Amino acid sequence: MLDWNQYQKELGARLKELSGLSPDTLKGYMTLSGANKETTHLGEKTRQLISLAVAVTTRCDGCIVFHTEAAIKAGATKEEISEALGVAVGMNAGAALIYSTRVLDAYAAKTEHAATTAG
């Protein structure tokens, strides 16, 4: 496993470097990241739990380390984080199941095409 504290420190340094090289990129990200942050419809803890679930589904280690820290600061418990991760696991499995039907659809289209061009 990673040394998450060291990884976050190193990542922060690289992001600072990127910010200097391409300030508009970081500024644009920060605008997107902060969208709807001022509303109280979800609350910071829920926002961070969603962020962690998405971080897992997108396999973003940097997102995991930053949003884990933010979730803890927002009062999320280990149990709440685990439940959010369970939702992410379910969504990944569900997405794989649903997308499996696309393979069957592609198979049908390809075999139908092959049958009509062979005959």
Side-chain angles (χ1 to χ4, degrees):
M1 295 305 242
L2 290 174
D3 178 340
W4 291 99
N5 294 319
Q6 184 61 30
Y7 175 70
Q8 186 174 8
K9 181 191 270 186
E10 291 171 9
L11 189 57
R14 287 291 181 211
L15 287 172
K16 184 176 180 180
E17 178 183 3
L18 178 60
S19 176
L21 295 167
S22 183
D24 287 343
T25 299
L26 194 60
K27 183 179 176 184
Y29 167 77
M30 295 304 288
T31 299
L32 287 171
S33 180
N36 301 313
K37 195 172 190 171
E38 299 304 315
T39 67
T40 58
H41 300 294
L42 292 177
E44 186 61 17
K45 181 167 69 170
T46 300
R47 290 172 56 85
Q48 293 306 323
L49 292 171
I50 293 169
S51 295
L52 284 171
V54 172
V56 167
T57 62
T58 58
R59 298 175 182 94
C60 176
D61 286 340
C63 302
I64 289 170
V65 73
F66 285 113
H67 290 287
T68 297
E69 182 175 69
I72 292 166
K73 286 180 181 175
T77 65
K78 189 176 186 179
E79 292 77 14
E80 289 170 322
I81 291 171
S82 295
E83 189 170 329
L85 298 177
V87 172
V89 169
M91 285 302 299
N92 277 326
L97 176 65
I98 297 302
Y99 253 71
S100 294
T101 65
R102 295 176 70 83
V103 174
L104 296 177
D105 191 47
Y107 178 86
K110 293 296 185 182
T111 55
E112 180 181 304
H113 177 74
T116 59
T117 58

